[in-house]
Amino acid sequence: MNVCPHKGAPLCEGPQCGTTAWDGGGKFISCRDNEIVRCAWHGWEFDIRSGASLVDPDVKARTFPVTVEGGNVFVLA
Ligand code: FES
């Protein structure tokens, strides 16, 4: 389903994007470009492949297998 596990927002309204991470040396860097879906309501971020929350991997958005054929994406629900 198209539902954020936080408060039920439609995840399709959020962007596919990257995230920000600490580089271990005092800076934040942009990374994982296009690997993340960010919820439009409160900004929770999910791995686009696994659905796992970046903050708590035990919290997951539902995912579906897909195929890409000829530039079209098919959802295998
Ligand atoms: S409803 Fe998605 S982050 Fe709150």
Side-chain angles (χ1 to χ4, degrees), residues 16-38:
Q16 180 181 347
C17 57
T19 190
T20 304
W22 184 50
D23 73 352
K27 295 181 182 174
F28 287 95
I29 58 171
S30 296
C31 57
R32 303 190 62 183
D33 196 32
N34 289 321
E35 295 181 13
I36 306 299
V37 172
R38 182 179 301 132

Side-chain angles (χ1 to χ4, degrees), residues 1-4 11-12 37 47-52 60-68 73-77:
M1 302 293 279
N2 178 31
V3 177
C4 177
L11 281 175
C12 67
V37 172
D47 182 292
I48 203 165
R49 290 187 178 94
S50 69
K60 294 188 177 183
R62 188 169 177 191
T63 60
F64 298 89
V66 299
T67 61
V68 179
V73 178
F74 296 92
V75 178
L76 308 172

